[in-house]
């Protein structure tokens, strides 16, 4: 017969609730503590940096190995050394810098115009069901229309200068950004809004001083995601009689079968886009430490 003391105390090292003194938190029963396979938890920073390094180095290593063994014709897949030499050549002539600045300007202007209009409209759509019912069907319809399909109309309406290129980026970003902002605002806790009313706040104060600051991290995160769409569209936009730009550089290189320069243009766009993405993430994490979703 079991003693009363044994009945009251559980086995050492095993908590009936699933909490292990070695794991530092609640773990599922019958599962060993792990670092790599943590569910919805952060991993140690050294492990995170190591995994990110592997994700970048492995494709480069595979690329070098395939070209070193000449498994693919160098005309179709140039080696990393060949691409690097093409980069140095384009940089020394100043062409690459000129193309990069032109693309950055188009993306920056188009994206800022789209964000300036889409964020306020998205906030209003998320805050007021009446505005959402009025605009969401039309925005949803426009979202499924590919932006490049507007190129003929943009040329007819705006000519072939910078205006149609920027307008294409605005069209491609505006509707997605507005709808993503709307979805962010829709999930503001009702208790927060009701508490503001109880403390004497009116509708305008609730919108400007409570709802907008609360969803601002989510809005910036949506802008970070949609910035990638702007970079994708700039390639298409620069096919409209552009004299300079990374998209024009890639198109020109493809016309003369210069695959090394094509790779240079693609990698420059990738590096710039990744840099902006990391800057957005860093700013959100530093400026909004109070937000549990962006710590």
């Amino acid at each position: 017969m079991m003693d009363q003391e044994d009945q009251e105390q559980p086995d050492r090292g095993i908590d009936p609730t699933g909490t292990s003194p070695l794991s530092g938190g609640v773990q599922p029963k019958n599962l060993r503590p792990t670092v790599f396979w943590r569910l919805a938890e952060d991993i140690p920073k050294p492990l995170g940096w190591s995994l990110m390094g592997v994700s970048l180095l492995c494709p480069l290593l595979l690329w070098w190995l395939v070209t070193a063994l000449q498994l693919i014709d160098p005309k179709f897949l140039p080696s990393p050394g060949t691409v690097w030499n093409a980069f140095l050549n384009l940089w020394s002539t100043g062409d690459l810098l000129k193309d990069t600045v032109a693309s950055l300007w188009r993306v920056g202007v188009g994206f800022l115009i789209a964000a300036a209009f889409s964020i306020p409209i998205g906030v209003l759509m998320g805050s007021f069901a009446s505005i959402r019912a009025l605009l969401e069907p039309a925005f949803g319809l426009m979202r499924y229309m590919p932006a490049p399909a507007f190129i003929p109309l943009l040329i007819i309406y705006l000519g072939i200068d910078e205006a149609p290129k920027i307008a294409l980026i605005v069209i491609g970003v505006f509707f997605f950004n507005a709808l993503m902002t709307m979805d962010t605002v829709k999930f503001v806790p009702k208790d927060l809004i009701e508490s503001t009313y109880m403390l004497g706040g009116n509708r305008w104060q609730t919108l400007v001083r409570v709802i907008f600051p609360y969803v601002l991290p989510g809005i910036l995160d949506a802008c970070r995601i949609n910035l990638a769409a702007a970079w994708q569209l700039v390639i298409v936009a620069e096919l409209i009689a552009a004299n300079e730009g990374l998209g024009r550089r890639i198109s020109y290189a493809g016309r003369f079968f210069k695959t090394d320069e094509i790779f240079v243009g693609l990698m420059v766009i990738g590096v710039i886009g990744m840099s902006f993405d990391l800057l957005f993430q860093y700013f959100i994490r530093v400026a909004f430490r109070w937000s549990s979703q962006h710590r």
Side-chain angles (χ1 to χ4, degrees), residues 5-167:
E5 182 179 356
D6 295 335
Q7 294 177 351
E8 293 177 354
Q9 294 183 358
D11 293 338
R12 293 182 179 180
I14 301 177
D15 193 326
T17 63
T19 303
S20 171
L22 300 178
S23 65
V26 177
Q27 297 290 336
K29 293 182 180 181
N30 303 324
L31 291 180
R32 296 179 181 179
T34 179
V35 175
F36 191 90
W37 298 108
R38 285 180 176 177
L39 280 172
E41 291 186 22
D42 293 331
I43 60 175
K45 287 187 177 180
L47 177 59
W49 285 108
S50 300
L51 294 175
M52 286 188 285
V54 169
S55 70
L56 294 176
L57 291 177
C58 280
L60 291 176
L61 180 61
L62 181 61
W63 178 18
W64 173 83
L65 184 62
V66 170
T67 55
L69 297 176
Q70 295 185 350
L71 299 178
I72 300 178
D73 190 333
K75 293 181 180 179
F76 298 98
L77 182 64
S79 66
T82 304
V83 173
W84 177 250
N85 291 333
F87 170 81
L88 294 178
N89 181 52
L90 290 173
W91 184 264
S92 63
T93 60
D95 293 337
L96 184 60
L97 179 60
K98 182 173 63 175
D99 292 333
T100 302
V101 171
S103 295
L104 277 170
W105 185 84
R106 291 169 183 140
V107 170
V109 174
F111 181 79
L112 288 176
I113 293 175
F117 288 94
S118 62
I119 291 175
I121 293 175
V123 171
L124 292 176
M125 290 172 65
S127 302
F128 300 100
S130 56
I131 297 180
R132 183 163 61 251
L134 178 65
L135 298 180
E136 187 177 10
F139 279 33
L141 178 65
M142 293 295 297
R143 180 181 60 176
Y144 287 101
M145 295 182 182
F150 289 89
I151 291 178
L153 290 176
L154 292 176
I155 294 176
I156 293 174
Y157 297 153
L158 302 175
I160 58 174
D161 293 329
E162 292 298 315
K165 303 174 182 62
I166 295 174

Side-chain angles (χ1 to χ4, degrees), residues 10 15 17 34 73 100 106 135 137 155 157 164 169-170 179 184 216 220-221 225 265-266 286:
D15 193 326
T17 63
T34 179
D73 190 333
T100 302
R106 291 169 183 140
L135 298 180
I155 294 176
Y157 297 153
I169 297 174
V170 173
L179 292 173
T184 303
L216 187 55
L220 292 178
D221 203 38
I225 296 172
L266 292 174
V286 172

